[in-house]
Amino acid sequence: MSRNYLQKMAFIAVLPSLFISPSASADLSGNVGLTTSYMPRGVTASDDKLSLSAGVHYSNPNNGAFVGFKAHTLGGESPYTQYDTYVGMTKPLSEKASFDVGLLSYQWPDNKAATDTRPSHGEEIFLTGRYGMADASVYHFINTPLMKGSTYVRAGIKKPLKNGITLGANVGHNSYGDSDEMKPLKALGIFEDYNHLQVSAAWKDFTLAVGAADKDNTWIKATKDPTVTLTWEKNFGF
């Protein structure tokens, strides 16, 4: 594990202490999960194989500060683990509306395919807004030579039913940036901007989802064919 990686993780871990009072009350929770395919942004990151996840989330209800960490196992020819670390702030606007702003760091320290253009880490800034049952987010890469300038935009809605089932719908658009490393790959059609749609039904700790993209691209693993996933995730407090 590189010294640069350890320095980044230490900085992100210490950053919340700059705006969270030690005496303030806080909420600490954890989660564990298992899914038939890990599908961030509408495409599989686990090569349509089982993916385990585990994480912790710390938030301060007094000032809205939060920090968290989550790990996902990723499949493929050379399986490895993705570590997500995030820090940010939640601000209420009204009883129904609020927004989050923060920084998200992806780490792949054991990715054997890492190169200068596909490094073992990447950072994004994000903004999420909520109003009632609806929410929308924007993620923008600010680091890594290949992905710098890439942007992902999504919007979703969730409707709880009286029988305990929650129905959901999510639509997203992923656009790749124009870095020097990305331009020739986009010209060859290796990386293509795409849209995706997903609908879901959640009951207790289980979520059944069906989604598809508007492109068939084996490199980014986008497919027009509907992909069905079943996810179990358990959240608990400490």
Side-chain angles (χ1 to χ4, degrees):
M1 190 176 296
S2 70
R3 181 178 178 182
N4 184 52
Y5 169 72
L6 292 174
Q7 289 174 337
K8 287 179 178 289
M9 295 298 290
F11 171 75
I12 293 173
V14 171
L15 185 58
S17 66
L18 300 177
F19 52 87
I20 300 178
S21 169
S23 60
S25 61
D27 295 328
L28 182 62
S29 61
N31 58 80
V32 293
L34 174 66
T35 183
T36 54
S37 182
Y38 176 45
M39 299 282 294
R41 305 184 183 186
V43 298
T44 180
S46 61
D47 202 24
D48 288 324
K49 293 180 174 58
L50 288 175
S51 174
L52 294 166
S53 66
V56 292
H57 180 86
Y58 176 93
S59 63
N60 189 313
N62 293 335
N63 59 18
F66 62 83
V67 63
F69 172 84
K70 194 164 188 176
H72 309 267
T73 60
L74 305 182
E77 295 181 2
S78 301
Y80 57 100
T81 304
Q82 173 178 309
Y83 302 97
D84 303 339
T85 308
Y86 57 88
V87 60
M89 185 80 69
T90 298
K91 287 296 181 183
L93 300 175
S94 67
E95 290 185 359
K96 291 185 177 181
S98 65
F99 73 90
D100 297 348
V101 61
L103 173 69
L104 173 60
S105 176
Y106 304 100
Q107 303 285 340
W108 305 280
D110 54 349
N111 182 5
K112 297 178 181 179
T115 65
D116 289 339
T117 56
R118 299 188 65 184
S120 58
H121 68 89
E123 285 73 47
E124 289 181 316
I125 53 174
F126 65 85
L127 175 66
T128 296
R130 304 179 191 85
Y131 184 82
M133 297 181 295
D135 70 292
S137 302
V138 179
Y139 296 84
H140 184 72
F141 264 98
I142 58 174
N143 201 358
T144 75
L146 179 65
M147 296 298 292
K148 189 175 182 179
S150 298
T151 302
Y152 176 67
V153 181
R154 56 154 299 279
I157 189 168
K158 291 183 178 180
K159 174 63 176 178
L161 304 180
K162 293 182 179 180
N163 58 8
I165 295 176
T166 297
L167 300 180
N170 186 71
V171 60
H173 172 73
N174 195 68
S175 60
Y176 295 101
D178 289 320
S179 66
D180 291 339
E181 291 78 5
M182 179 65 73
K183 285 180 180 178
L185 299 178
K186 291 177 71 174
L188 292 171
I190 295 176
F191 280 88
E192 294 182 283
D193 298 351
Y194 66 91
N195 303 302
H196 74 89
L197 173 67
Q198 184 186 69
V199 294
S200 62
W203 180 73
K204 295 186 177 180
D205 300 326
F206 295 91
T207 300
L208 180 66
V210 181
D214 65 345
K215 294 251 176 77
D216 286 319
N217 185 310
T218 56
W219 179 265
I220 60 176
K221 300 181 180 178
T223 175
K224 293 180 181 179
D225 296 329
T227 300
V228 180
T229 57
L230 179 62
T231 302
W232 170 83
E233 185 171 66
K234 181 69 174 179
N235 294 285
F236 51 89
F238 291 102

